[in-house]
Amino acid sequence: MGISDLILMRNCRSCELPGTLLCERCRRRVEDTVVPQRLFAGSLPVHCAVRYESTARSIVLAAKRTGAAECVAVMARLARVALADCLDDLAVDGRICVVPLHSGAKTRAAAGQDLVVAVLRQAMKGLPAPRGQVQIADVLQIRPNRLQQKVLNRQQRAGNVTGNIRASPRTRVQGLNVVIFDDVMTSGATLQAAARAVSARGGLVRAGVVVAYRPWICADLQGRRVSG
């Protein structure tokens, strides 16, 4: 371990092993136990890779706070699993546009990039889908929320995002199949607001996809394994 590692306190964010922000054991612990879930944000089905807890939570927080490449890469691999599960479930004809929800200003400053977009771009590489069938459509315009979502209950979260998300007037999603993508889902309010914004421009919002979900929302028990 070099001087720079000592200065930057490069310990695994999950188990504290020195030398890396994410050790191989913790990476495998998350990636090898992924079982995609389908939850609902209102009436919108949302495909998720993992619960936002334990090692998975540590990985996401490290990516948000440092932009560490190893953590972003794990998030992308998890996102790819959830995306593939979503595409298998949809089985629709025609092009599918994956619309990312942008990271907030605080996360962009800490991670040095728009984390949601970065994770999605990596996840799309190697996605088991025909070339050209699934494409990223960066069409959302997001204003900062009045209050931090994490301090609000479910009803308050829905009101807090109302009017803050819209699709660009130049958006070309009329009649296209759309999937909304985000990193973490808690109440689903942000995903629903994004779905409404895209629908207002004529997009056919079929589902949402997230890397992780907080175990707050009731799961869809039909044909899916549900943890907890």
Side-chain angles (χ1 to χ4, degrees), residues 1-11 18-20:
M1 182 170 60
I3 294 177
S4 61
D5 288 330
L6 291 171
I7 295 174
L8 295 174
M9 299 292 290
R10 288 183 62 85
N11 294 341
T20 178

Side-chain angles (χ1 to χ4, degrees), residues 147-168:
L147 300 171
Q148 291 187 349
Q149 289 287 81
K150 65 182 179 182
V151 303
L152 306 177
N153 61 32
R154 188 193 300 268
Q155 184 176 0
Q156 291 168 332
R157 285 169 179 256
N160 195 42
V161 299
T162 299
N164 289 356
I165 302 176
R166 69 181 189 129
S168 167

Side-chain angles (χ1 to χ4, degrees), residues 9-63:
M9 299 292 290
R10 288 183 62 85
N11 294 341
C12 176
R13 293 303 172 96
S14 181
C15 69
E16 297 299 323
L17 183 73
T20 178
L21 287 176
L22 179 64
C23 72
E24 184 67 14
R25 178 182 177 185
C26 290
R27 182 193 65 77
R28 288 201 307 269
R29 183 183 301 157
V30 172
E31 292 186 353
D32 293 351
T33 58
V34 174
V35 178
Q37 309 286 324
R38 188 178 69 167
L39 311 181
F40 278 97
S43 60
L44 182 72
V46 182
H47 296 257
C48 321
V50 293
R51 292 166 67 106
Y52 184 72
E53 59 188 13
S54 188
T55 302
R57 178 177 181 274
S58 298
I59 291 171
V60 173
L61 286 177

Side-chain angles (χ1 to χ4, degrees), residues 119-197:
V119 168
L120 177 57
R121 285 175 176 166
Q122 284 197 40
M124 294 284 284
K125 298 176 181 178
L127 187 67
R131 183 178 297 276
Q133 179 182 336
V134 184
Q135 299 176 344
I136 297 175
D138 191 355
V139 302
L140 292 178
Q141 298 175 339
I142 305 174
R143 293 186 301 185
N145 294 326
R146 294 180 292 276
L147 300 171
Q148 291 187 349
Q149 289 287 81
K150 65 182 179 182
V151 303
L152 306 177
N153 61 32
R154 188 193 300 268
Q155 184 176 0
Q156 291 168 332
R157 285 169 179 256
N160 195 42
V161 299
T162 299
N164 289 356
I165 302 176
R166 69 181 189 129
S168 167
R170 295 189 296 272
T171 296
R172 296 181 179 178
V173 293
Q174 179 77 34
L176 297 180
N177 300 304
V178 175
V179 171
I180 308 294
F181 178 80
D182 203 1
D183 52 2
V184 178
M185 177 175 71
T186 300
S187 70
T190 304
L191 285 167
Q192 291 179 78
R196 288 192 295 270

Side-chain angles (χ1 to χ4, degrees), residues 62-119:
K64 286 177 176 285
R65 293 170 180 172
T66 69
E70 56 264 55
C71 296
V72 174
V74 171
M75 288 183 65
R77 287 193 285 271
L78 297 176
R80 189 179 300 125
V81 171
L83 274 169
D85 187 61
C86 177
L87 296 178
D88 287 343
D89 193 59
L90 291 179
V92 296
D93 294 327
R95 184 156 57 99
I96 296 176
C97 296
V98 184
V99 174
L101 274 155
H102 294 286
S103 298
K106 185 177 180 181
T107 295
R108 291 198 304 271
Q113 60 186 333
D114 188 320
L115 183 64
V116 173
V117 174
V119 168

